[in-house]
Short mmCIF file of all heavy atoms in Angstrom, two decimals:
data_model
loop_
_atom_site.label_atom_id
_atom_site.label_comp_id
_atom_site.label_asym_id
_atom_site.label_seq_id
_atom_site.Cartn_x
_atom_site.Cartn_y
_atom_site.Cartn_z
N ALA A 349 -17.70 16.30 -25.92
CA ALA A 349 -17.08 17.23 -26.86
C ALA A 349 -16.54 18.48 -26.15
O ALA A 349 -15.56 19.08 -26.56
CB ALA A 349 -18.08 17.65 -27.93
N ASP A 350 -17.16 18.85 -25.04
CA ASP A 350 -16.67 20.02 -24.30
C ASP A 350 -15.32 19.76 -23.66
O ASP A 350 -14.59 20.70 -23.35
CB ASP A 350 -17.66 20.42 -23.20
CG ASP A 350 -18.96 20.95 -23.79
OD1 ASP A 350 -18.91 21.44 -24.92
OD2 ASP A 350 -19.99 20.89 -23.10
N ASN A 351 -14.99 18.48 -23.45
CA ASN A 351 -13.73 18.13 -22.82
C ASN A 351 -12.71 17.64 -23.82
O ASN A 351 -11.68 17.10 -23.44
CB ASN A 351 -13.96 17.03 -21.77
CG ASN A 351 -14.75 17.54 -20.59
OD1 ASN A 351 -14.80 18.73 -20.33
ND2 ASN A 351 -15.38 16.63 -19.86
N ARG A 352 -13.00 17.80 -25.10
CA ARG A 352 -12.14 17.23 -26.11
C ARG A 352 -11.40 18.32 -26.87
O ARG A 352 -11.98 19.33 -27.25
CB ARG A 352 -12.97 16.40 -27.09
CG ARG A 352 -12.14 15.53 -28.02
CD ARG A 352 -13.05 14.63 -28.84
NE ARG A 352 -13.87 15.39 -29.75
CZ ARG A 352 -15.14 15.12 -30.01
NH1 ARG A 352 -15.72 14.10 -29.44
NH2 ARG A 352 -15.83 15.86 -30.84
N THR A 353 -10.12 18.12 -27.09
CA THR A 353 -9.32 19.02 -27.91
C THR A 353 -8.96 18.32 -29.21
O THR A 353 -8.42 17.23 -29.19
CB THR A 353 -8.03 19.42 -27.19
OG1 THR A 353 -8.39 20.07 -25.97
CG2 THR A 353 -7.20 20.36 -28.03
N ASP A 354 -9.31 18.94 -30.31
CA ASP A 354 -9.07 18.31 -31.60
C ASP A 354 -7.59 18.11 -31.85
O ASP A 354 -6.78 19.00 -31.66
CB ASP A 354 -9.65 19.21 -32.71
CG ASP A 354 -10.08 18.42 -33.92
OD1 ASP A 354 -9.71 17.25 -34.00
OD2 ASP A 354 -10.78 19.00 -34.76
N ASP A 355 -7.23 16.91 -32.29
CA ASP A 355 -5.82 16.63 -32.56
C ASP A 355 -5.26 17.56 -33.63
O ASP A 355 -4.07 17.78 -33.70
CB ASP A 355 -5.65 15.18 -33.04
CG ASP A 355 -5.86 14.21 -31.89
OD1 ASP A 355 -5.74 14.65 -30.73
OD2 ASP A 355 -6.15 13.04 -32.15
N ALA A 356 -6.15 18.10 -34.47
CA ALA A 356 -5.68 18.99 -35.53
C ALA A 356 -5.03 20.25 -34.97
O ALA A 356 -4.26 20.91 -35.65
CB ALA A 356 -6.85 19.38 -36.44
N GLU A 357 -5.35 20.56 -33.68
CA GLU A 357 -4.77 21.75 -33.08
C GLU A 357 -3.29 21.55 -32.77
O GLU A 357 -2.57 22.50 -32.52
CB GLU A 357 -5.51 22.10 -31.79
CG GLU A 357 -6.97 22.47 -32.02
CD GLU A 357 -7.65 22.76 -30.71
OE1 GLU A 357 -6.95 22.95 -29.70
OE2 GLU A 357 -8.89 22.80 -30.68
N THR A 358 -2.85 20.29 -32.73
CA THR A 358 -1.46 20.00 -32.39
C THR A 358 -0.80 19.27 -33.55
O THR A 358 -0.81 18.05 -33.62
CB THR A 358 -1.38 19.12 -31.13
OG1 THR A 358 -2.15 19.73 -30.10
CG2 THR A 358 0.06 18.99 -30.66
N PRO A 359 -0.27 20.00 -34.53
CA PRO A 359 0.33 19.35 -35.69
C PRO A 359 1.52 18.50 -35.31
O PRO A 359 2.26 18.81 -34.38
CB PRO A 359 0.76 20.54 -36.55
CG PRO A 359 0.92 21.68 -35.60
CD PRO A 359 -0.11 21.46 -34.54
N GLN A 360 1.70 17.39 -36.02
CA GLN A 360 2.85 16.53 -35.79
C GLN A 360 4.10 17.19 -36.33
O GLN A 360 4.04 18.01 -37.25
CB GLN A 360 2.63 15.17 -36.48
CG GLN A 360 1.45 14.41 -35.94
CD GLN A 360 1.62 14.09 -34.47
OE1 GLN A 360 2.68 13.63 -34.06
NE2 GLN A 360 0.58 14.33 -33.68
N ARG A 361 5.25 16.84 -35.78
CA ARG A 361 6.51 17.42 -36.21
C ARG A 361 7.28 16.40 -37.04
O ARG A 361 7.89 15.48 -36.49
CB ARG A 361 7.34 17.84 -35.00
CG ARG A 361 6.69 18.98 -34.23
CD ARG A 361 7.66 19.46 -33.18
NE ARG A 361 7.19 20.71 -32.61
CZ ARG A 361 7.90 21.45 -31.78
NH1 ARG A 361 9.12 21.07 -31.46
NH2 ARG A 361 7.42 22.55 -31.30
N PRO A 362 7.24 16.53 -38.36
CA PRO A 362 7.91 15.54 -39.20
C PRO A 362 9.42 15.56 -39.05
O PRO A 362 10.08 14.61 -39.45
CB PRO A 362 7.49 15.98 -40.62
CG PRO A 362 7.18 17.43 -40.50
CD PRO A 362 6.59 17.61 -39.13
N ASP A 363 9.96 16.65 -38.46
CA ASP A 363 11.41 16.73 -38.34
C ASP A 363 11.94 15.95 -37.15
O ASP A 363 13.15 15.81 -36.99
CB ASP A 363 11.83 18.20 -38.19
CG ASP A 363 11.17 18.88 -37.01
OD1 ASP A 363 9.99 18.60 -36.76
OD2 ASP A 363 11.85 19.69 -36.34
N ARG A 364 11.04 15.41 -36.30
CA ARG A 364 11.50 14.69 -35.14
C ARG A 364 11.40 13.18 -35.36
O ARG A 364 10.37 12.67 -35.75
CB ARG A 364 10.69 15.05 -33.90
CG ARG A 364 11.27 14.42 -32.65
CD ARG A 364 10.40 14.62 -31.46
NE ARG A 364 10.09 16.02 -31.27
CZ ARG A 364 9.11 16.44 -30.48
NH1 ARG A 364 8.40 15.57 -29.83
NH2 ARG A 364 8.87 17.71 -30.37
N LYS A 365 12.46 12.47 -35.09
CA LYS A 365 12.46 11.02 -35.20
C LYS A 365 11.73 10.42 -34.00
O LYS A 365 11.66 11.03 -32.94
CB LYS A 365 13.90 10.50 -35.27
CG LYS A 365 14.67 11.02 -36.49
CD LYS A 365 16.11 10.54 -36.46
CE LYS A 365 16.87 11.11 -37.66
NZ LYS A 365 18.30 10.70 -37.64
N PRO A 366 11.18 9.19 -34.11
CA PRO A 366 10.40 8.59 -33.04
C PRO A 366 11.11 8.55 -31.70
O PRO A 366 10.49 8.70 -30.67
CB PRO A 366 10.11 7.18 -33.59
CG PRO A 366 10.17 7.33 -35.05
CD PRO A 366 11.23 8.35 -35.31
N ASN A 367 12.40 8.31 -31.67
CA ASN A 367 13.12 8.16 -30.42
C ASN A 367 13.95 9.38 -30.06
O ASN A 367 14.84 9.32 -29.23
CB ASN A 367 14.03 6.93 -30.48
CG ASN A 367 13.25 5.64 -30.59
OD1 ASN A 367 12.20 5.53 -29.97
ND2 ASN A 367 13.72 4.73 -31.38
N GLU A 368 13.62 10.50 -30.69
CA GLU A 368 14.40 11.71 -30.46
C GLU A 368 13.67 12.61 -29.48
O GLU A 368 12.48 12.84 -29.60
CB GLU A 368 14.60 12.46 -31.78
CG GLU A 368 15.46 13.69 -31.67
CD GLU A 368 15.62 14.37 -33.01
OE1 GLU A 368 14.63 14.46 -33.76
OE2 GLU A 368 16.73 14.81 -33.31
#
Side-chain angles (χ1 to χ4, degrees):
D350 292 335
N351 291 339
R352 192 173 66 219
T353 300
D354 208 347
D355 289 339
E357 296 178 15
T358 308
Q360 298 298 314
R361 294 188 169 188
D363 57 322
R364 187 187 307 165
K365 299 177 182 178
N367 295 322
E368 184 180 41

